[in-house]
Amino acid sequence: MNDIDVAELQRRLAAFAAARDWGQYHTPKNLAAALSVEASELLEIFQWLTPEQSAAVMEDPETVHRVADEVADVFAYLLQFCQVLGIDPTAALAAKVERNEKRFPLPEAPEPEDRHSSE
């Protein structure tokens, strides 16, 4: 992975939309809908694949391009959605991971059996 600044991507996306006067359409509802549509387009690539085929999808250069484009579309709309609502996506994710770590703790290791016990 490379270290691309999320805030810089958000600025670029906002500038791109502003230059085309698209800001009027970038309401939370519209961005959530667009995000859902793009996620569905990503799902469509995998829709009828077996688990084995889906695991190997990145071996086909044509599919690599399609998957990467749909991931980019999902990410772009997510970043725009977060910007419109004032959500820091990296802070939101970090907080969610922390909550999940507390909700779903690692199972405790079983106690080692005492080999010297007479029981």
Side-chain angles (χ1 to χ4, degrees):
M1 286 196 169
N2 52 26
D3 295 324
I4 296 177
D5 185 334
V6 170
E8 175 59 24
L9 286 173
Q10 286 178 305
R11 284 189 290 275
R12 287 180 64 189
L13 289 165
F16 184 87
R20 290 152 181 84
D21 197 27
W22 291 350
Q24 60 186 317
Y25 307 111
H26 287 190
T27 65
K29 179 192 81 65
N30 288 350
L31 290 168
L35 177 57
S36 177
V37 168
E38 294 301 337
S40 294
E41 289 178 7
L42 178 60
L43 175 59
E44 184 179 32
I45 296 168
F46 296 88
Q47 185 173 10
W48 302 114
L49 300 181
T50 65
E52 296 78 19
Q53 290 169 324
S54 70
V57 75
M58 299 305 280
E59 295 171 12
D60 176 6
E62 182 180 320
T63 308
V64 168
H65 176 72
R66 289 179 57 214
V67 171
D69 277 356
E70 296 307 334
V71 166
D73 289 343
V74 168
F75 192 42
Y77 280 119
L78 180 61
L79 291 179
Q80 291 173 89
F81 178 82
C82 288
Q83 186 173 35
V84 165
L85 291 179
I87 297 169
D88 176 339
T90 56
L93 178 57
K96 181 66 175 186
V97 169
E98 188 172 316
R99 284 193 308 276
N100 282 344
E101 288 170 342
K102 290 176 183 168
R103 273 182 71 200
F104 307 104
L106 291 173
E108 292 190 26
E111 296 281 329
E113 292 186 30
D114 184 359
R115 294 178 188 251
H116 302 287
S117 172
S118 60
E119 294 179 21

